[in-house]
Amino acid sequence: MDPNDRSAGISRRRLLQSLAMAGAAAALPRAFAAPAPSSSPPRRLGVALAGLGGYSRDLLAPALQLTRHCRLAGIVTGSPHKVPEWQARHGIPDANVYGYDDLHRIADNPAIDVVYVVTPNHLHMPLTRTVANAGKHVWCEKPMAMDAAEGEAMVRACRDNRVRLAIGYRMQHEPNTRRFMAMAQERPFGRIVKLRADAGWFGWRQGADDAWRLDPARGGGAMYDMGVYCVNAARYGTGLEPVAVRAWDETARRDIFRGVDETMRFRLEFPGDIVAECVTSFGRNLNTLQVDCERGWYALSPFQAYDGNVGRASDGTVFPATLGEKPRMQAEQMDQDALAILGGTPLRAPGEEGVRDMRVLDAVFASARSGNVVVRIPD
């Protein structure tokens, strides 16, 4: 639709402005419901980071210094040479340092309440089960697992051990994203017709921490890494669950991307004849979410950056960035998850949310492997 079209009218503008004033307070579908307000918690949750790569080092650890309801209490790593630097920088005692093989010992450590799993994807399920069996809450980066079956096993392990499982969908804690989630229900421009979600970045990091992103056995490839943003955005952008998908693996540099996808294009079908056209790539810079409706459109670009996610709508409404510079988003995510645990309220992105995305990813891979046939997505 024409981005200069102002025909949507004053009433829609006022509705969007009221949403801006109210934030994301509008009613949301159950899968995306925000936790109820909670009084100040009696203590801060001790968090151990499992996996000490760039995301933990450069974003999560600094973000924990900004949180009000949690603190960096421990580390878990398969790379012992990283331990001295982390201890020196963050004052972590020897008693709060673990390897992957002795992680079960964390059950006896009252200083640690939550383990945030930030490892390559193939370790998410086994580490989550170990942590849950030790009686600790789990925060797990996206994608939550290698497939939906692993994700379901993670949910069961946490449920059986009466601990909470949150998936690291940081965007669902970002104000403009929350507003778009509310708009999926309010429909200020009428019926949703189409959604577009593109997420990608040109090139890839080739350091030791990121070599796994080109390894199929460890969950490498663009679909796992970036495509999850598109899938989750298509779901929260429509407020619906997709019923089918058709996918095309458009990998060009197979000498580099051996066994993993460089670029994946997929088309999601939703109830009500709504479609979502998505592209994810390690070969293109992509970062746009747009929702086209009967009488207008609204979009975020970028929609999944670490900061500066801004947008606009066809009636001239602007969605400015309000959260602050990185790592403010990660701090907000962890604080909200901590409050949900401390207050016994719903998580914004529980394990079941991650499983829904994994079912879509399973279907995307199945479609691409089988010659782009339409694949049904299980409920």
Side-chain angles (χ1 to χ4, degrees), residues 12-20 183 188-189 313 315 317:
R12 285 188 296 275
R13 184 181 296 111
R14 286 177 176 170
L15 175 57
L16 287 172
Q17 288 171 343
S18 69
L19 282 171
M183 291 165 69
F189 295 102
D315 69 346
T317 299

Side-chain angles (χ1 to χ4, degrees), residues 24-207:
L28 299 174
R30 182 176 58 84
F32 301 113
S38 174
S39 58
S40 298
R43 63 185 181 90
R44 302 171 76 186
L45 294 181
V47 178
L49 296 176
L52 306 183
Y55 194 67
S56 286
R57 180 187 65 241
D58 301 333
L59 290 163
L60 293 180
L64 281 163
Q65 311 309 312
L66 303 177
T67 57
R68 298 175 55 199
H69 307 292
C70 42
R71 60 186 179 83
L72 178 57
I75 55 175
V76 185
T77 183
S79 303
H81 67 277
K82 296 181 179 181
V83 171
E85 179 184 352
W86 276 77
Q87 287 188 301
R89 180 175 297 180
H90 299 289
I92 297 169
D94 290 343
N96 293 1
V97 175
Y98 299 88
Y100 298 149
D101 293 336
D102 68 348
L103 183 54
H104 61 278
R105 295 191 302 105
I106 209 167
D108 302 319
N109 191 337
I112 296 174
D113 304 286
V114 180
V115 175
Y116 196 153
V117 179
V118 202
T119 63
N121 302 332
H122 72 298
L123 294 176
H124 289 185
M125 189 271 287
L127 291 182
T128 293
R129 293 177 68 172
T130 298
V131 172
N133 289 336
K136 305 296 183 179
H137 303 292
V138 183
W139 298 342
C140 182
E141 261 309 301
K142 60 81 192 162
M144 73 179 296
M146 295 289 285
D147 54 38
E150 284 193 357
E152 290 164 356
M154 294 161 66
V155 170
R156 285 195 302 272
C158 291
R159 182 181 62 238
D160 292 347
N161 286 283
R162 299 184 179 181
V163 297
R164 309 291 293 277
L165 171 60
I167 309 303
Y169 288 119
R170 56 187 173 83
M171 301 316 306
Q172 292 199 28
H173 301 265
E174 190 273 330
N176 281 335
T177 305
R178 300 292 300 170
R179 290 164 68 187
F180 272 42
M181 292 163 71
M183 291 165 69
Q185 306 306 309
E186 295 293 335
R187 305 288 176 96
F189 295 102
R191 184 178 67 87
I192 294 174
V193 176
K194 182 174 68 174
L195 181 146
R196 178 167 65 91
D198 301 333
W201 49 290
F202 183 75
W204 61 94
R205 294 158 290 186
Q206 299 187 59

